[in-house]
Amino acid sequence: MIQFKIDISFINREREMTELRNYLEGQPNAILFLYGPKSSGKTTLMYRLFEQMEAEKKYKINFLNLREVFLTTYDDFIDAFFKSSSSGNGLKTGTRRQYSLFGLFKLDAFTEKMLKKRQEDPFPVIKREFQRLLKKGIQPVVIIDEFHKLDGLYLPDKQKRLMVELMNFFVAMTKESHLCHVIIASSDAFFIEQVYVNSKLRKTSEFMKLDYLEKEDVLVWLRDIKKYNQVQEYTLDEKQIETIWDTVGGSAWEIYYILRKLLLYSLDAIASKIKREKVSMIADWTFGDEARNCLLRHFRKQPIRKLAELAGTGKDLLGQAVKDNILYYDPVDGIYGIQGKSLEWGIKGYFEETEKTD
């Protein structure tokens, strides 16, 4: 087994894991949407849930991370959802080849051929597999990460959006037929907003926000990196821990980045570089665009703003800021926020530099 100088950690998500388990232990009755700021740990949480429940005989976890999939056409969708034997997920059973949906559900070669020729509707195929599992006393669970990547794809007749039809299918599988649990995670909160304002989907869905780590959890983590990350080369004093929190807050990915860099550089150098990078990122995003400058001025002293406080800002601009990972949006509370503590430094530093040159 390969040994690393520093391991990735999973810090105190017991409450979130419990909430997910409670959802799965009830009868399927709603789609669960998991959303939150970028790098808040949504994908890591999904993988941890998958690992914990995979061994349980009563569940069949069908997990697909669309971040790892190239999607531009309907055929890409079929290839992603229905894995062939050439992908390494296929099996041979006698003379009949088997195929896997999400790498797990087995389909015979004839059905796979019909799907490829567009002579078979994929939704009834999936439904039949759910029914087969339930007859065996196994509860099917579908988990799709970065679901918004399906946006822009259409069914073969070009009249219906694939995402909409798939969502309607999941409503039928959860609230109407109670056949399957469905968890959808997305870092694109504007996609979540589209769901939230859709009255039909809102009444058939639950929404769970995964935010950055609380300071208390970060302190516990960084005071014992030997335990959480298997670090042997150094320890952190309280001043260093406070510097890390002040620089990146509860962003687990950025904290891990700092811990890796500490094997080579001083903390002050790392923190300074992070802040400079974020200033440059904001400068590039706002370059020559007064509307973007005006938008970010709202967040210069306050990292979170209610939608009503951004009156006059176009929804298209807000949506672009979210897609570009400058802001995040919480559709449940109707608030916009800066994507992490480090970007707060970027916005602050950018306007300080701008004022010096004016």
Side-chain angles (χ1 to χ4, degrees), residues 74-197:
Y74 176 78
D75 289 335
D76 292 336
F77 158 72
I78 294 296
D79 288 339
F81 278 54
F82 298 86
K83 300 295 185 181
S84 68
S85 57
S86 61
S87 70
N89 290 316
L91 302 173
K92 284 188 176 181
T93 306
T95 59
R96 293 172 62 82
R97 289 181 299 156
Q98 300 290 316
Y99 294 85
S100 298
L101 173 67
F102 308 108
L104 292 171
F105 291 163
K106 305 181 191 64
L107 299 175
D108 60 76
F110 176 76
T111 302
E112 188 265 351
K113 183 178 180 180
M114 296 296 285
L115 286 169
K116 293 282 188 179
K117 290 185 174 181
R118 302 181 182 182
Q119 296 175 354
E120 175 73 89
D121 186 334
F123 299 145
V125 172
I126 300 172
K127 182 178 179 179
R128 289 196 296 269
E129 181 61 18
F130 290 160
Q131 292 170 329
R132 184 187 70 82
L133 288 168
L134 286 170
K135 286 181 180 179
K136 296 173 63 177
I138 300 172
Q139 177 64 62
V141 178
V142 171
I143 301 174
I144 304 180
D145 196 10
E146 298 297 305
F147 186 81
H148 61 272
K149 284 192 64 178
L150 292 173
D151 197 15
L153 300 186
Y154 287 81
L155 293 178
D157 60 10
K158 302 295 184 182
Q159 301 298 314
K160 296 181 180 179
R161 293 173 60 197
L162 174 60
M163 178 183 287
V164 172
E165 295 306 305
L166 188 57
M167 197 71 71
N168 288 332
F169 171 72
F170 286 151
V171 169
M173 294 299 96
T174 54
K175 185 175 178 61
E176 296 173 3
S177 301
H178 313 294
L179 292 178
C180 178
H181 288 295
V182 177
I183 300 176
I184 292 175
S186 178
S187 60
D188 186 343
F190 254 63
F191 157 70
I192 299 294
E193 182 197 28
Q194 293 173 15
V195 175
Y196 195 72
V197 299

Side-chain angles (χ1 to χ4, degrees), residues 21 48-61:
R21 292 297 298 248
R48 181 56 60 99
L49 177 69
F50 175 76
E51 290 170 1
Q52 287 190 5
M53 302 192 69
E54 187 179 27
E56 298 184 22
K57 302 290 185 180
K58 62 179 181 178
Y59 293 103
K60 185 70 171 179
I61 308 293

